[in-house]
Amino acid sequence: MKMLKFTIVLSLLTATFAFGAASAPQATIVAVKGAASFTPSAAGKSQPATKGATISEGGTVDTSVGGEVSIKFFDGTVTVVQGKTSLTLETLKLNAGKEVTQLNLRSGSLVATLDPAKKDTTDYKVRTPKGVAAAR
């Protein structure tokens, strides 16, 4: 009987750790045009941007002239990072039922498409050197 209890506890601990690791929100590169690179996380190394690659909080995207990278965030928002742009994904998290995305547009431009049906659960912000644009 003691062996059975130990096995159940071990299984529950394993499930908890697996759930915790999978719950961190990420963004996915859904399209790449021209030359672009990204770092998957704050501690990652720069590499060529490729469709299907994931980017975590702290990751970056850099495009060259004529380059373009489309990123889909965990809340369904799609952001197109246009040519000659440098962008950091500062915040990707769930906070009290809100899907929080904050980007730091260091240079260049982007276009974002948000789902109006998710206005109560999406908190999307773009910080620039001159201020912050927010869609809630």
Side-chain angles (χ1 to χ4, degrees):
M1 188 69 167
K2 288 182 182 180
M3 182 63 116
L4 178 61
K5 287 182 182 179
F6 177 76
T7 303
I8 291 171
V9 170
L10 182 59
S11 296
L12 288 175
L13 288 173
T14 304
T16 301
F17 289 126
F19 177 75
S23 65
Q26 293 184 325
T28 304
I29 296 175
V30 294
V32 178
K33 175 182 151 186
S37 62
F38 81 107
T39 57
S41 65
K45 293 181 180 180
S46 183
Q47 53 193 287
T50 56
K51 183 178 178 180
T54 57
I55 309 171
S56 301
E57 190 172 89
T60 63
V61 175
D62 294 290
T63 57
S64 63
V65 174
E68 194 173 271
V69 175
S70 297
I71 305 168
K72 185 173 184 178
F73 293 90
F74 60 103
D75 64 355
T77 299
V78 175
T79 299
V80 179
V81 181
Q82 298 184 327
K84 204 171 177 186
T85 297
S86 183
L87 178 76
T88 300
L89 284 61
E90 281 189 348
T91 305
L92 297 175
K93 68 179 178 181
L94 296 172
N95 185 17
K98 292 257 186 195
E99 298 162 341
V100 180
T101 302
Q102 182 168 322
L103 308 177
N104 181 358
L105 182 62
R106 297 185 311 265
S107 65
S109 58
L110 61 81
V111 175
T113 305
L114 291 88
D115 184 353
K118 292 187 172 187
K119 67 180 179 182
D120 294 332
T121 59
T122 297
D123 184 358
Y124 181 88
K125 297 176 185 155
V126 178
R127 189 162 60 96
T128 71
K130 301 211 181 214
V132 176
R136 293 187 179 143

